[in-house]
Amino acid sequence: ETSVRDKLMRFFYAMDGPNWKNKTGWGTDAPVWQWEGVGNPDPETGLMSLYFRNNGLKGEIPDFIDEMNLWRFVIDEPGITGTLPASFGNLVNLESLEISNTAMTSLPDIFGKMKKLRNVIIFSNRDMTGPLPESLGASDELVTLGIDWNGFTGTPPDSWARHYDFLSLWSNKLSGEIPLSFRTGPHAG
């Protein structure tokens, strides 16, 4: 089986790692939790986090991202393009997702198996257009669903109404009528 180090190094090279601003620890014998942007893997579950803010990552999120046992994925990188690969939907242990300030162009409807998602922030991705993904609201665990300052179009999915109390949809290009489910739920009044 491919080791965690090997998977991380594949990610490093797929994301233009040799040109990152800070690549402390990457490719060394240091424990992976000392590698810039890598959260300490849980010794029992192997779950870890990837957290990158303005470090010079470039390219599209690689298809093999689902081989990483992630509980948190934070990417705040202007050089990230494209969209999330379908394999991203296999990250069933993901609890926290933030995609901010990228040049990504869409957010596919791939979140149906992610039943542990608690916090989702999709912020300031001006090139991210198209409809809001219905399955993003599939997790009963959600406590934050912030989809602000992007270019999404259409209306919020009906299924999101149950998350109304912690849903934020500021400054997108949404249009049409607010779904009836948003106007008649327990929060209406």
Side-chain angles (χ1 to χ4, degrees):
E1 181 180 311
T2 308
S3 75
V4 171
R5 287 173 182 276
D6 291 341
K7 291 173 187 176
L8 286 168
M9 289 309 296
R10 280 180 68 204
F11 181 82
F12 177 80
Y13 287 112
M15 299 277 86
D16 196 32
N19 294 309
W20 291 356
K21 293 176 187 170
N22 183 346
K23 49 189 173 266
T24 301
W26 285 84
T28 70
D29 290 337
V32 295
W33 54 268
Q34 291 180 358
W35 296 13
E36 178 63 30
V38 178
N40 194 6
D42 182 292
E44 291 180 26
T45 64
L47 286 169
M48 66 179 168
S49 68
L50 292 178
Y51 185 98
F52 296 100
R53 290 203 188 279
N54 211 14
N55 197 30
L57 279 71
K58 289 190 175 98
E60 294 187 24
I61 304 299
D63 285 338
F64 59 82
I65 191 76
D66 64 332
E67 294 176 18
M68 316 202 58
N69 198 5
L70 299 177
W71 74 269
R72 178 173 73 161
F73 185 70
V74 175
I75 197 97
D76 183 342
E77 296 284 344
I80 300 297
T81 58
T83 189
L84 291 175
S87 62
F88 195 88
N90 295 326
L91 291 170
V92 296
N93 291 310
L94 200 68
E95 295 178 25
S96 185
L97 172 64
E98 180 182 332
I99 300 172
S100 301
N101 301 303
T102 72
M104 293 175 72
T105 55
S106 66
L107 197 60
D109 202 356
I110 58 171
F111 301 94
K113 293 190 267 182
M114 295 180 162
K115 303 298 185 188
K116 294 182 180 180
L117 270 178
R118 294 181 51 76
N119 300 295
V120 177
I121 303 295
I122 310 295
F123 180 78
S124 198
N125 302 284
R126 288 300 187 177
D127 297 331
M128 198 175 280
T129 62
L132 292 163
E134 174 98 24
S135 65
L136 195 52
S139 173
D140 290 333
E141 302 296 318
L142 277 174
V143 293
T144 304
L145 186 54
I147 315 291
D148 301 320
W149 300 94
N150 304 290
F152 291 111
T153 56
T155 58
D158 279 333
S159 63
W160 289 21
R162 65 191 176 116
H163 305 300
Y164 179 84
D165 291 333
F166 45 85
L167 172 64
S168 177
L169 292 169
W170 288 101
S171 194
N172 284 281
K173 296 178 181 176
L174 302 175
S175 61
E177 289 201 21
I178 295 173
L180 183 61
S181 55
F182 280 80
R183 295 179 274 156
T184 59
H187 49 271

